[in-house]
Amino acid sequence: MVKNRISKLAENLQQILGGQLEDVSQALGELTVLIRSQDDLTEVAGTLKNHADLRFDILIDLCGVDYSEYTTDTHAGYKRDNRRFAVVYHLLSVEHNYRLRMRVFIEDSDVPMLDSIVSVWPSANWYEREAFDLYGIVFNNHPDLRRILTDYGFIGNPFRKDFPLSGHMEMKYDPEQKRVIYQPITIEPREITPYIVREEQYAQGESSHE
């Protein structure tokens, strides 16, 4: 029954958005559409929301993805080529009881930039700000694009795979200057060495029963 519903949705999507979709695939019982060009994002989003056979009126979630040197052999990296960043949207159609994952790859890895879809789904506002803060993805025409999870003076994007675990800068209170200052991080990276602890009489009791 579930398979038939997903197949029907896939058929509708290919008929309605065929030329704007690079791929429609099914994995783990869910459907994923890959948009052919990031320039079509706003138009595709509007169609998904307003077309009578689709009606994806709720944006559940939006997240950035940094594939870096991630393999292309899995479903997640399928058809990414050499593109590093993508944005994934999770949609819900209450009217038709459909769920859909939409993915769009960003062509420019140095300055990842994508159109905002806040005008289509207002709930994207906060999620786009998260993706901007954590991945450095810029959303054109966003009404208030600024950091929300890191400090305003923070340098870098914590969720990029090239960001060190201990960060670049640290913040501390300077008692001499009587204010908070930023300085290069002083934490030295630590390597954890596996350490095995054995009891002195380990396994000797078992041999005595033989």
Side-chain angles (χ1 to χ4, degrees), residues 34 38 67 79-80 83 85-86 103-107:
L34 176 62
Q38 66 181 72
Y67 290 94
K79 289 186 177 288
R80 83 170 180 89
R83 296 171 290 190
F85 295 100
R103 178 183 295 134
V104 56
F105 286 104
I106 303 173
E107 296 297 334

Side-chain angles (χ1 to χ4, degrees), residues 142-195:
H142 188 284
D144 187 16
L145 194 63
R146 56 189 162 106
R147 291 187 182 275
I148 57 175
L149 298 174
T150 58
D151 188 78
Y152 290 119
F154 188 84
I155 299 173
N157 306 101
F159 277 12
R160 289 196 180 190
K161 292 187 175 68
D162 54 3
F163 197 87
L165 296 177
S166 55
H168 293 293
M169 303 289 289
E170 65 182 10
M171 180 180 64
K172 73 171 187 177
Y173 179 76
D174 188 326
E176 294 181 358
Q177 300 184 44
K178 296 182 178 179
R179 66 183 180 86
V180 174
I181 62 170
Y182 288 87
Q183 64 182 24
I185 196 156
T186 57
I187 301 173
E188 295 182 3
R190 293 186 302 173
E191 293 185 6
I192 300 175
T193 304
Y195 183 64

Side-chain angles (χ1 to χ4, degrees), residues 8-27:
K8 184 175 185 303
L9 175 59
E11 192 176 306
N12 288 342
L13 288 166
Q14 287 172 328
Q15 289 177 353
I16 298 167
L17 297 167
Q20 294 171 304
L21 299 182
E22 183 173 351
D23 185 66
V24 179
S25 59
Q26 181 180 342

Side-chain angles (χ1 to χ4, degrees), residues 14-84:
Q14 287 172 328
Q15 289 177 353
I16 298 167
L17 297 167
Q20 294 171 304
L21 299 182
E22 183 173 351
D23 185 66
V24 179
S25 59
Q26 181 180 342
L28 303 176
E30 297 178 347
L31 203 61
T32 301
V33 293
L34 176 62
I35 299 180
R36 186 177 302 280
S37 169
Q38 66 181 72
D39 296 335
D40 294 333
L41 174 62
T42 307
E43 184 178 346
V44 170
T47 303
L48 288 172
K49 181 179 181 182
N50 299 316
H51 195 282
D53 293 337
L54 303 176
R55 297 291 190 197
F56 287 98
D57 49 351
I58 296 180
L59 173 74
I60 299 291
D61 187 22
L62 175 162
C63 59
V65 183
D66 177 8
Y67 290 94
S68 189
E69 297 178 358
Y70 194 83
T71 176
T72 59
D73 297 336
T74 64
H75 177 71
Y78 181 59
K79 289 186 177 288
R80 83 170 180 89
D81 299 326
N82 293 320
R83 296 171 290 190
R84 175 176 175 177

